[in-house]
């Protein structure tokens, strides 16, 4: 392929609306272009990489015995109502009507469609286990589309769905996908970490997310280097040491805290550590007001809290509602004397000598003994875990990292098969719902995460397995026939060996072409010009490495060997 015949619209300037480096580089290297918020076109170079990621995924899914299918993006809304998930996912659903005014949606995922297929055509245990996958376009009206392909509104996902006769059998399917994911990401040249994850709106019992560690990642993760425990912050747990507050038998008393509606202000004023405060937040759980208590220095984990409260919709109450249920403006709420349900984080069990809002404007209470002075309906763990918290397994201090979720494996159980009546008959003739698992990989997100992980100040440093081309030949004397003959010979020789080559044959200054080569980040660069040829040599450079001179008659074998070497360095046999 010749650059002059191709379409690689590189940009010198950093695009204004691209916040993270991988997004900037994808635009600058001419891989993608934005159409509208969360909607992107893949240009030729970007599409080549995307297809390579897809191919690796496809090979590993096939190797694991999954069967490729392709399901429609457009689905009847009624199917989603039957599974009970329309309401849960309504915020991200794209809705439309067909010409008969029938409600349709654009699929954000495909559990419903595949379960309908399984329910219709699988009847016997003899047909199980089975695992279907597809590589297909998904639509999600994300609240905050951003970071290019990382959080798009239309994106390509690999989604797989396994069906088994029992939970034990489903464990096997889950493990097979988990192992396939490890191979996939490794083959893409990525360093990933599998972390325990929340199952979210999809439901189910167990799940792991595959995270690419990166500062720009939207997900918080905690890890324990001692035990290997790793979890998404949404799900993370920590050991909760018992309190050892000094005994305080004094009765609760009101103190004036004029205009001090924050823990920071009151803590300074009363010279007390924020940890000694009982923070009281008023939430609406499916519309019902509830007081949520946690230590003054901690934040709430709304994912865990929603589970504790067993609600589908959880939101903070507005100022008016807070005033209505506590009798005071926000900032002065406390559990003492409240008539709504009160739930407290386990870290507050046995707290005494605490400070909390008095449910009166400009007043706080001190010497509060929570279980003596208030009615707590239940204690549970709903704090956001943070750096330094003790690991639930080893007790060692955990550290916090950021990551990009590139893949997700779920053990679903029979939520969907029961709702959509996907059953099979066992050996004894009894009917059971199939036990399911589902497994997703963001294809575009994976490609972009590779750039987030592999780049330097000059541009992308593609892992060779997903690079758009393996080799770029930069010609220094494009109009010179002898020079171009050498270039063309090397090109044909490499192509014959299956090496993918692009020739930068543009009539531009060498410096300009080298800059573009670094930006686009093809793993190997070969420079050929008359000056070198006069000495019988060409230049070979690994992206980001040193230049070596190679005798012309060894050029083909040396470059081909280097390509193989880089491929082998990926470390997974294909
Ligand atoms: P997130 O928490 O990032 O929104 P999710 O939990 O909603 O992800 P899943 O429903 O598990 O994601 O989807 C499977 C995979 O699809 C994810 O692991 C991710 O790689 C990818 N993905 C999800 N949403 C998007 C999006 N808006 N843009 C690009 N890729 C996405
Ligand atoms: Mg999501």
């Amino acid at each position: 392929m010749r650059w002059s015949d191709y379409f690689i619209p590189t940009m010198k300037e950093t695009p204004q609306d691209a916040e993270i480096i991988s997004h900037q580089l994808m635009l600058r290297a001419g891989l993608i272009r934005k159409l509208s918020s969360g909607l992107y076109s893949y240009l030729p170079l970007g599409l080549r990489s995307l297809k390579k990621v897809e191919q690796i995924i496809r090979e590993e899914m096939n190797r694991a015995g999954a069967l490729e299918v392709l399901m429609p993006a457009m689905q009847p809304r009624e199917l989603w109502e039957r599974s009970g998930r329309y309401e849960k996912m309504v915020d991200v659903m794209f809705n439309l009507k067909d010409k008969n005014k029938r409600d349709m949606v654009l699929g954000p995922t495909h559990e419903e469609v595949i379960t309908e297929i399984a329910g219709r055509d699988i009847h016997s245990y003899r047909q199980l286990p089975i695992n279907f996958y597809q590589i297909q376009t998904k639509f999600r009206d994300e609240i905050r589309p951003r970071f290019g392909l990382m959080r798009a509104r239309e994106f390509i996902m690999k989604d797989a769905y396994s069906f088994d006769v029992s939970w034990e059998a489903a464990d096997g399917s889950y493990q097979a996908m988990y192992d396939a994911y490890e191979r996939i990401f490794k083959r893409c040249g990525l360093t990933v970490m599998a972390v325990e994850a929340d199952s979210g709106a999809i439901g189910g019992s167990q799940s792991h997310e595959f995270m690419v560690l990166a500062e720009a990642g939207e997900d918080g993760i905690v890890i324990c280097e001692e035990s290997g425990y790793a979890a998404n912050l949404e799900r993370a747990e920590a050991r909760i040491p018992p309190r050892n507050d000094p005994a305080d038998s004094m009765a609760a008393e009101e103190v004036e805290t004029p205009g001090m509606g924050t823990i920071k202000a009151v803590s300074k004023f009363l010279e007390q550590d924020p940890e000694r405060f009982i923070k009281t937040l008023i939430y609406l759980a499916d519309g019902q007001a509830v007081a949520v208590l946690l230590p003054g220095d901690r934040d709430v984990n709304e994912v865990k809290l929603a589970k504790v409260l067993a609600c589908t919709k959880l939101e903070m109450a507005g100022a008016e509602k807070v005033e209505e249920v506590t009798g005071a403006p926000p900032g002065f709420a406390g559990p003492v004397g409240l008539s709504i349900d009160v739930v407290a984080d386990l870290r507050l069990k046995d707290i005494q000598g605490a400070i909390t809002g008095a449910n009166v404007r400009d007043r706080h209470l001190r010497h509060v003994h929570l279980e003596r002075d208030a009615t707590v309906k239940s204690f549970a763990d709903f704090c956001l875990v943070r750096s330094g918290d003790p690991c639930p397994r080893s007790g060692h201090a955990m550290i916090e990292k950021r990551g990009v979720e590139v893949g997700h494996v779920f053990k679903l159980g029979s939520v969907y098969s029961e709702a959509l009546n996907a059953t099979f008959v066992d050996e004894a003739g009894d009917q059971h719902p199939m036990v399911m698992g589902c497994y997703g990989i963001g294809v575009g997100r994976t490609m972009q995460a590779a750039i987030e992980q592999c780049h330097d100040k000059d541009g992308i440093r593609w892992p060779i397995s997903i690079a758009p081309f393996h080799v770029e030949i930069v010609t220094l004397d494009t109009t010179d026939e002898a020079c171009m003959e050498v270039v063309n010979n090397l090109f044909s020789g490499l192509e014959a060996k299956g090496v993918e080559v692009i020739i930068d044959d543009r009539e531009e200054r060498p410096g300009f072409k080298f800059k573009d080569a670094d930006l686009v980040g093809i793993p190997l660069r070969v420079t050929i010009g008359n000056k070198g040829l006069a000495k019988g040599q060409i230049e070979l450079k690994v992206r980001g490495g040193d230049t070596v001179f190679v005798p012309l008659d060894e050029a083909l074998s040396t470059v081909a060997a280097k390509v193989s070497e880089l491929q082998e360095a990926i470390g997974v046999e294909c």
Side-chain angles (χ1 to χ4, degrees):
M1 182 55 67
R2 286 165 181 264
W3 194 303
S4 60
D5 297 331
Y6 212 54
F7 185 66
I8 311 177
T10 56
M11 299 192 269
K12 280 206 175 52
E13 307 301 324
T14 302
Q16 294 242 315
D17 60 346
E19 295 164 62
I20 61 172
I21 186 73
S22 54
H23 186 196
Q24 292 167 3
L25 289 173
M26 289 195 101
L27 291 165
R28 286 189 55 212
L31 304 177
I32 57 168
R33 283 294 177 262
K34 178 173 167 178
L35 172 65
S36 175
S37 170
L39 302 178
Y40 288 86
S41 303
Y42 300 90
L43 301 188
L45 208 58
L47 190 63
R48 281 184 76 99
S49 274
L50 188 86
K51 292 285 168 201
K52 291 195 173 178
V53 176
E54 282 186 13
Q55 189 52 27
I56 290 172
I57 294 174
R58 187 170 274 118
E59 284 171 19
E60 293 300 333
M61 284 294 117
N62 293 345
R63 182 203 297 270
L67 305 174
E68 187 164 5
V69 294
L70 185 58
M71 293 179 264
M74 200 187 298
Q75 308 169 9
R77 183 168 125 182
E78 166 273 324
L79 180 61
W80 285 77
E81 282 161 352
R82 257 199 286 150
S83 73
R85 204 154 52 138
Y86 183 73
E87 276 304 313
K88 284 190 191 162
M89 293 195 71
V90 69
D91 287 350
V92 297
M93 285 282 196
F94 279 102
N95 291 279
L96 62 156
K97 280 190 194 293
D98 68 14
K99 64 171 163 328
N100 298 316
K101 305 270 186 306
R102 190 170 174 208
D103 288 311
M104 307 298 281
V105 297
L106 296 179
T109 173
H110 280 71
E111 282 79 11
E112 279 74 2
V113 179
I114 197 74
T115 310
E116 157 120 332
I117 293 171
R120 199 175 295 234
D121 289 301
I122 298 176
H123 309 290
S124 158
Y125 71 95
R126 284 195 203 88
Q127 293 167 282
L128 298 173
I130 199 157
N131 188 344
F132 299 105
Y133 79 97
Q134 64 173 346
I135 296 174
Q136 188 260 4
T137 303
K138 301 281 184 266
F139 296 85
R140 294 185 183 180
D141 202 356
E142 298 278 1
I143 298 162
R144 261 192 97 188
R146 56 182 185 158
F147 301 158
L149 304 184
M150 291 272 195
R151 186 164 298 285
R153 296 198 298 163
E154 174 178 333
F155 59 96
I156 297 169
M157 193 200 285
K158 185 288 298 176
D159 43 329
Y161 307 90
S162 62
F163 296 85
D164 277 281
V165 292
S166 67
W167 278 89
E168 298 73 59
D171 284 348
S173 300
Y174 185 86
Q175 192 58 44
M177 285 294 103
Y178 186 107
D179 296 344
Y181 276 32
E182 292 208 311
R183 290 180 57 87
I184 288 168
F185 295 120
K186 209 161 184 199
R187 282 187 63 188
C188 289
L190 285 166
T191 307
V192 297
M193 175 180 264
V195 308
E196 290 181 17
D198 182 70
S199 308
I202 299 221
S205 60
Q206 190 192 352
S207 84
H208 284 92
E209 284 168 348
F210 287 78
M211 294 282 184
V212 168
L213 296 185
E215 271 310 303
E218 288 187 290
D219 288 281
I221 306 162
V222 282
I223 57 181
C224 171
E225 285 173 340
E226 185 71 18
S227 68
Y229 175 76
N232 190 313
L233 273 184
E234 288 179 348
R235 142 108 194 186
E237 291 172 2
R239 244 184 228 179
I240 304 174
R243 299 195 71 89
N244 55 355
D245 300 323
D248 179 1
S249 55
M250 287 176 74
E253 67 171 5
E254 257 184 43
V255 277
E256 288 201 28
T257 49
M260 290 175 218
T262 63
I263 288 179
K264 197 173 165 202
V266 186
S267 124
K268 199 167 159 207
F269 180 66
L270 296 178
E271 295 180 348
Q272 286 284 350
D273 196 22
E275 197 269 331
R276 310 285 308 137
F277 281 66
I278 300 173
K279 191 194 272 191
T280 307
L281 303 169
I282 309 297
Y283 271 92
L284 295 174
D286 291 333
Q288 192 75 31
V290 51
V292 172
L293 313 183
L294 62 162
D297 62 337
R298 310 287 310 212
D299 293 315
V300 82
N301 177 335
E302 294 189 349
V303 175
K304 283 198 214 169
L305 180 62
K307 279 206 181 126
V308 168
L309 298 174
C311 65
T312 26
K313 192 161 184 210
L314 182 70
E315 53 188 340
M316 287 277 264
E320 241 172 62
K321 189 76 188 175
V322 171
E323 196 141 5
E324 183 194 316
V325 299
T326 68
F332 300 94
V336 182
L338 279 186
S339 56
I340 54 171
D341 278 353
V342 175
V343 295
D345 183 74
L346 275 170
R347 291 159 184 81
L348 293 177
K349 191 106 187 89
D350 301 326
I351 192 169
Q352 48 183 312
I355 299 156
T356 187
N359 298 323
V360 179
R361 181 192 291 272
D362 296 341
R363 295 268 202 289
H364 277 76
L365 288 179
R366 62 181 167 192
H367 304 299
V368 173
H369 188 323
L370 182 60
E371 285 136 289
R372 179 193 67 190
D373 300 329
T375 312
V376 177
K377 191 177 168 204
S378 63
F379 283 89
D381 171 20
F382 48 73
C383 263
L384 202 59
V385 167
R386 64 186 177 201
S387 229
D389 277 348
C391 166
R393 291 190 195 147
S394 72
H396 276 75
M398 296 187 283
I399 46 176
E400 214 178 307
K401 301 250 180 210
R402 302 218 56 86
V404 177
E405 176 204 321
V406 284
H408 203 165
V409 291
F410 291 92
K411 229 174 258 175
L412 277 177
S414 53
V415 191
Y416 294 93
S417 44
E418 279 174 33
L420 299 170
N421 207 20
T423 58
F424 70 96
V425 172
D426 69 12
E427 265 177 299
D430 296 328
Q431 213 170 30
H432 306 276
M434 295 175 216
V435 182
M436 293 174 58
C438 73
Y439 318 93
I441 293 180
V443 182
R445 194 186 278 188
T446 298
M447 167 182 163
Q448 189 172 331
I451 299 176
E452 194 63 41
Q453 203 166 66
C454 312
H455 67 268
D456 61 17
K457 65 176 186 4
D458 299 316
I460 301 170
R461 294 178 68 170
W462 285 110
I464 197 158
S465 53
I466 61 169
F469 292 92
H470 301 136
V471 174
E472 175 175 334
I473 303 178
V474 177
T475 63
L476 301 181
D477 297 285
T478 305
T479 50
D480 184 278
E481 259 181 46
C483 173
M484 287 314 283
E485 197 185 318
V486 173
V487 168
N488 290 334
N489 285 340
L490 180 61
F491 174 84
S492 323
L494 286 169
E495 288 257 295
K497 289 177 183 288
V499 176
E500 298 167 15
V501 187
I502 184 159
I503 305 171
D504 188 351
D505 59 339
R506 293 174 299 170
E507 285 182 43
E508 297 282 0
R509 286 176 297 105
F512 179 90
K513 297 212 271 192
F514 292 151
K515 268 209 153 49
D516 266 359
D518 281 345
L519 175 61
V520 166
I522 304 302
L524 282 176
R525 186 175 93 198
V526 176
T527 305
I528 302 179
N530 282 339
K531 239 199 227 153
L533 290 179
K535 291 191 230 156
Q537 63 190 20
I538 60 147
E539 287 175 32
L540 175 62
K541 184 173 186 286
V542 178
R543 173 70 179 82
D546 296 327
T547 301
V548 291
F549 296 95
V550 179
L552 183 55
D553 56 358
E554 290 168 22
L556 176 60
S557 58
T558 308
V559 175
K562 197 75 198 169
V563 170
S564 302
E565 191 188 305
L566 290 181
Q567 281 165 337
E568 277 155 26
I570 295 275
V572 195
E573 101 290 353
C574 302

